[in-house]
């Protein structure tokens, strides 16, 4: 059966949805949440494979272009999937940040796509190696959560790539969502995309079905897959 619930506190609403799914794993087909925040939030998280499939040329398609000055969040699993998004997210001349750049392999690919690129990592030793290996790319030591420092290093950004340890497991979902929400708030409205390498966020993005009318009809007649959708007021 379906559960109808209302909650306008984003993280409380997300937690409630997860609890309902865990409570009724066999019978629950759909959760309908009457929440403007959840409705808005659900429109902006996308599985990277779905995103890549919908691209017909190496530039962002109309389907996934940001709307109403909002940013799309593309959730990838594995480094290959993460890097495959670069041609579709990065435009020549863009200002792009990679958080968790390590020794700079992905940051260099972003730079080669024509972006004004900055890679940051929390480890000074790793940043020293990245600078030595890639002298033509800018690397700085920074904490992903220190937004004031990030703003000093990069006052405006068109895209952010995030590859931070601890954001892939279920326990990291709330931290990942909080980090992305903070980055989007800081860099709006210029920011178009956040690409994050995180299995838990990939699974999270799959939970929100953007084709909500089809999903609702399927839920009513008992056919099709289950899902969750936030319905705005």
């Amino acid at each position: 059966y379906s559960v109808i619930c209302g909650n306008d506190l984003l993280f409380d609403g997300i937690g409630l949805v997860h609890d309902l799914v865990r409570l009724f794993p066999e019978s629950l087909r759909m959760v309908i949440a009457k929440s403007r925040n959840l409705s808005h939030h659900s429109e902006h998280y996308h599985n990277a494979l779905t995103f890549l499939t919908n691209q017909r040329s190496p530039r962002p398609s109309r389907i996934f272009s940001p709307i109403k000055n909002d940013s799309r969040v593309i959730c990838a699993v594995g480094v290959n999937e993460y890097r495959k998004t670069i041609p579709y997210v990065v435009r020549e001349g863009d200002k792009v940040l990679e958080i968790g750049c390590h020794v700079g392999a992905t940051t260099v690919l972003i730079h080669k796509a024509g972006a004004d690129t900055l890679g940051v990592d929390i480890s000074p030793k790793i940043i020293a190696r990245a600078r030595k290996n890639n002298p033509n790319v800018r690397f700085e030591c920074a904490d992903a959560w220190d937004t004031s420092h990030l703003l000093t290093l990069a006052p405006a950004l068109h895209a952010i790539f995030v590859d931070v340890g601890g954001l892939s497991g279920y326990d990291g979902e709330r931290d990942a969502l909080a980090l992305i929400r903070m980055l989007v708030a800081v860099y709006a409205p210029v920011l178009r995309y956040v690409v994050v390498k995180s299995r838990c966020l990939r699974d999270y993005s799959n939970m929100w079905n953007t084709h909500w009318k089809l999903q609702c009809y399927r839920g009513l007649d008992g056919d099709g897959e289950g899902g969750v959708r936030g319905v705005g007021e």
Side-chain angles (χ1 to χ4, degrees):
Y1 57 87
S2 297
V3 177
I4 300 176
C5 56
N7 198 316
D8 280 323
L9 297 174
L10 179 60
F11 285 101
D12 286 350
I14 292 169
L16 179 57
V17 167
H18 277 306
D19 288 344
L20 291 169
V21 171
R22 285 194 296 269
L23 280 171
F24 306 103
E26 301 297 331
S27 58
L28 186 66
R29 295 196 309 269
M30 182 176 296
V31 177
I32 302 174
K34 179 177 175 291
S35 167
R36 182 177 287 107
N37 277 351
L38 283 178
S39 178
H40 178 81
H41 179 76
S42 68
E43 294 173 355
H44 296 87
Y45 279 75
H46 300 280
N47 183 325
L49 285 178
T50 304
F51 170 77
L52 291 168
T53 299
N54 280 277
Q55 308 306 304
R56 295 182 178 180
S57 60
R59 62 180 184 273
S61 73
R62 293 183 62 188
I63 296 174
F64 284 93
S65 294
I67 55 174
K68 299 180 181 178
N69 293 325
D70 289 325
S71 306
R72 297 295 188 190
V73 180
I74 310 302
C75 307
V77 174
V79 68
N80 289 333
E81 192 174 289
Y82 178 66
R83 291 173 179 171
K84 283 180 180 178
T85 64
I86 294 172
Y88 305 102
V89 168
V90 178
R91 301 173 183 172
E92 188 171 355
D94 275 355
K95 297 182 182 299
V96 182
L97 169 69
E98 185 182 25
I99 297 175
C101 66
H102 198 59
V103 294
T106 302
T107 313
V108 169
L109 294 177
I110 297 169
H111 176 74
K112 289 180 178 179
D116 179 2
T117 310
L118 168 64
V120 301
D121 202 283
I122 199 169
S123 169
K125 291 183 178 180
I126 286 177
I127 289 298
R129 286 178 59 193
R131 288 172 175 169
K132 181 179 179 180
N133 294 341
N134 311 285
N136 296 324
V137 181
R138 183 184 173 204
F139 293 96
E140 301 287 349
C141 191
D143 187 333
W145 297 91
D146 190 347
T147 52
S148 61
H149 188 200
L150 292 178
L151 279 169
T152 301
L153 296 172
L157 292 169
H158 298 97
I160 300 173
F161 287 73
V162 182
D163 183 4
V164 177
L167 298 185
S168 285
Y170 176 76
D171 292 339
E173 181 182 285
R174 300 289 182 90
D175 286 342
L177 290 171
L179 176 61
I180 291 170
R181 197 179 189 199
M182 179 178 64
L183 292 170
V184 169
V186 166
Y187 285 104
V190 176
L191 185 67
R192 295 193 312 271
Y193 288 99
V194 177
V195 181
V196 56
K197 185 163 77 70
S198 168
R199 182 174 296 276
C200 72
L201 285 192
R202 190 279 310 273
D203 295 342
Y204 176 83
S205 69
N206 289 340
M207 188 175 69
W208 305 98
N209 191 329
T210 56
H211 303 290
W212 66 274
K213 291 184 180 179
L214 176 61
Q215 188 75 337
C216 285
Y217 291 138
R218 286 178 176 175
L220 288 172
D221 63 19
D223 295 328
E225 299 176 354
V228 57
R229 175 67 185 179
V231 180
E233 298 175 347

